[in-house]
Every structure is written in C-alpha cells, then in structure tokens.
Amino acid sequence: MDTIKEKLGILPIEELSKSTKFEKRAPKKIGCKEYVYSFVKCVLNGDISQASWCRELSKMIDEPVSEQALQSKVQFRHEEFSQKLLESALEHTMQNNAPYDCCKILSKFKSVQAHDSTCVKMPIGLIDFLPGSRSRNGVNAMVRIQLSMDLLTNSCLLYTSDAADDSLR
C-alpha cells in the first residue's frame, strides 16, 4: 500500500477533487485520497467489487465502511474527477520520460500512433450509467478506457465510455 501511496502521491488528487467538485466539503469519513488509493489497490488485486472496495477502505481508514456509504460516494457526477486524474497521471508520466529515441525509419513519418484500451469492471450499482457485457452469469457494469498516443510528439488522447459502446472500437 505504501508503494501505491508513493506513486499516486505525486498527483494533485486533492486539487482535482475540489476543482471537479468531487469533494464539495471536508469529508466526514472517506477522503478523496483514500477513495483513489483503495480503488487502485482493488484494481491491482483484480477484485473491483463493492465488497472488496469497502474492505480496502475500511482497512485504510480503520473504520467500517458500508456498501451504502461507498455507493453514495460513487456517483455519475464523479466521472470528471476520474478523467482529470487519469489525464494528470498520463501527463506526469509523459513529462518525466524523455521522448522516444526514434530510429531513422520512424523519423520519416509525420506521426506514429499507438492505441490501447482496456475494460474495468465497476460496482454493479453503476449498471445504469456504465452497462457492460451480458452473459449467463448476469450483467456487469464496466467502463472502457482507450488511449491513443503519438510516439513522435509524446502527446496522447484519452477516451472513456461504457464498455458496451462500440463507437471507440
């Protein structure tokens, strides 16, 4: 957990939470940093269920967190905070890495782009906003994150959508 806090500690989490109205006032129980750190830990553990997220938050703040408390924190209006935080992380990573040392073949191109995307399973309570795949096991709430990066200019574009949205594929 210390590694997660160290790596994410360089990002302006609190400033972004205020500017995007993720936190409108001082938190009673769950602060923006704990919210982000615990979510990242769940992602790294491969279990992004509400129950898992509540357990991580509870351990972090040393106080029980109910699924209802988490659900009240996870609202559709927090999308902008998540997007700005991800953009900030990508921007920081790209600024701290020297531009790619392109070989002669690539230097002849005006643009060399790399594309990647992933789907992240979200709490089932977000199913109305982020519908995911349907299977014999039921339905999932999912978000698709797609990155397009120009390797010559070190610039990137970030897209998010629900996983059922085929317009980004």
Side-chain angles (χ1 to χ4, degrees), residues 112-146:
V112 178
Q113 297 188 354
H115 302 277
D116 194 18
S117 70
T118 188
C119 288
V120 178
K121 186 176 176 184
M122 301 301 289
I124 195 68
L126 295 173
I127 191 84
D128 291 337
F129 301 108
L130 301 169
S133 61
R134 300 183 188 288
S135 69
R136 66 175 184 244
N137 297 328
V139 295
N140 293 308
M142 294 189 128
V143 65
R144 173 179 295 282
I145 301 169
Q146 182 163 340

Side-chain angles (χ1 to χ4, degrees), residues 29-85:
K29 198 173 191 178
I30 305 170
C32 60
K33 284 187 174 182
E34 292 84 8
Y35 176 84
V36 172
Y37 294 164
S38 60
F39 179 76
V40 170
K41 185 155 188 207
C42 289
V43 169
L44 293 174
N45 290 340
D47 183 6
I48 313 175
S49 66
Q50 272 188 322
S52 174
W53 200 352
C54 287
R55 279 191 302 275
E56 290 301 329
L57 271 169
S58 295
K59 284 187 232 173
M60 194 170 294
I61 65 174
D62 201 28
E63 200 176 320
V65 175
S66 68
E67 289 187 30
Q68 184 179 4
L70 179 63
Q71 191 63 38
S72 70
K73 188 77 174 166
V74 179
Q75 296 183 12
F76 188 66
R77 65 183 175 87
H78 296 119
E79 177 186 353
E80 183 182 6
F81 169 71
S82 302
Q83 186 168 358
K84 296 287 183 191
L85 184 61

